[in-house]
Amino acid sequence: MTGEGEFFCWVDYFVPRPPAPPTPREKQRGRGWGPLFVGLMIIDGMGLILELLVEGLKRLAVAIWRPVRGQVWSGGWESEAGRFVVAVRESSRRAVLTSGAGGVRWRRPDQVASDAVPLACSVRRRRGRRVEIGFGDGSWVTVWTRSVPAAERFHSQSVSFAG
């Protein structure tokens, strides 16, 4: 549950997923090309084709909608915004932001308020439910809040504490 002055948000869908770390290939040991192995390969191949089709449709929808939405983040994965995105994506794209005299703090929704991590950032601008958070190295990322009034409150609290 979010408390007073805390804002539930999530990373914009159009921010790409962080690159996955390479996984070592395991050696497959088998006793031959039995019918079971061939059947499993066919099922696995059909699953891969279906997954590629779904991912292709998602990418097409993103490519069509991106010019309407505009850019949603800046900086690489090594930037402060990139590290923030990776940390939030590990918690299923959701975060709770709190603005205060010490700056903006964030935590996962399943953590308690005392576990919030400080961010060296400020609110750049607000557009509807979207809030752009700018970091000290010049990188920034867009997060969505639950409602327009919540975004307005978060923006006004961040500006009042910063100024």
Side-chain angles (χ1 to χ4, degrees), residues 80 84 97 102-106 117-122 133 135:
E80 292 178 39
F84 173 72
L97 297 177
V104 177
R105 300 174 66 84
W106 87 276
V117 177
L119 296 173
C121 68
S122 62
I133 301 173
F135 293 86

Side-chain angles (χ1 to χ4, degrees), residues 12-16 55-70 72:
D12 196 299
Y13 180 76
F14 289 116
V15 173
E55 284 300 314
L57 290 174
K58 283 182 185 178
R59 286 183 180 202
L60 179 64
V62 166
I64 291 171
W65 188 248
R66 181 168 279 136
V68 175
R69 176 73 64 84
V72 295

Side-chain angles (χ1 to χ4, degrees), residues 61-139:
V62 166
I64 291 171
W65 188 248
R66 181 168 279 136
V68 175
R69 176 73 64 84
Q71 189 176 4
V72 295
W73 86 308
S74 168
W77 295 113
E78 299 301 318
S79 69
E80 292 178 39
R83 289 192 298 267
F84 173 72
V85 168
V86 169
V88 172
R89 287 284 179 139
E90 288 175 354
S91 65
S92 73
R93 292 184 23 209
R94 293 182 177 86
V96 178
L97 297 177
T98 309
S99 60
V104 177
R105 300 174 66 84
W106 87 276
R107 65 178 175 87
R108 291 190 304 247
D110 59 346
Q111 291 178 316
V112 293
S114 61
D115 290 341
V117 177
L119 296 173
C121 68
S122 62
V123 175
R124 286 178 38 160
R125 70 179 121 167
R126 182 193 61 80
R127 285 184 265 162
R129 292 174 33 203
R130 294 184 294 165
V131 178
E132 291 179 6
I133 301 173
F135 293 86
D137 62 354
S139 60

